[in-house]
Amino acid sequence: MIRRFGPRLALVTAIAVTCAVPAVSAQQAEPAPKPGRLINAGDVLSGELNAMKARGGKRDKRIAFYQIKSEPRRLPPPSGLCNLETGPETFQLITSSDAQTAQLKGFIGKAISIKVDEVACAQDAGQMSEAVVTKWSVVTKH
């Protein structure tokens, strides 16, 4: 019985080592994600514009809000990376007038560029994005 145990143990050990080596090297080969470029007031943010609806406001009315999905960007201090490794990728646009809302409706589902005047990390539970752009203006035209 002892004579058969040695070759089996050697075979099992060889298989285990062979399977473990690629897994260890794959973990080491992945570089750590780098934070995105810093976005400051006056910089341009580009990406695809999405429209979403949520309940809120007076009488729990359905409210439309707009979101840009872009490359990861760091925010200026004190917001920094918004508790993310690379910075936020989704930016909610806060509209302050019906004119801004009408301006965005033509870009839904399309690429858009906006000039950012004020941006911060999302704080409220109702916000669906990682960061919120409170003051902005559209750069691209139809």
Side-chain angles (χ1 to χ4, degrees), residues 31-36 72 85-87:
K34 293 182 180 179
E85 281 186 57
T86 59

Side-chain angles (χ1 to χ4, degrees), residues 57-70:
K58 296 179 182 178
R59 300 184 196 140
D60 203 31
K61 191 169 106 175
R62 287 182 63 97
I63 299 171
F65 67 92
Y66 302 92
Q67 180 184 69
I68 290 181
K69 180 151 177 63
S70 180

Side-chain angles (χ1 to χ4, degrees), residues 16-39:
V17 169
T18 305
C19 293
V21 170
V24 171
S25 64
Q27 289 176 353
Q28 293 172 353
E30 270 186 47
K34 293 182 180 179
R37 292 183 298 129
L38 183 66
I39 186 167

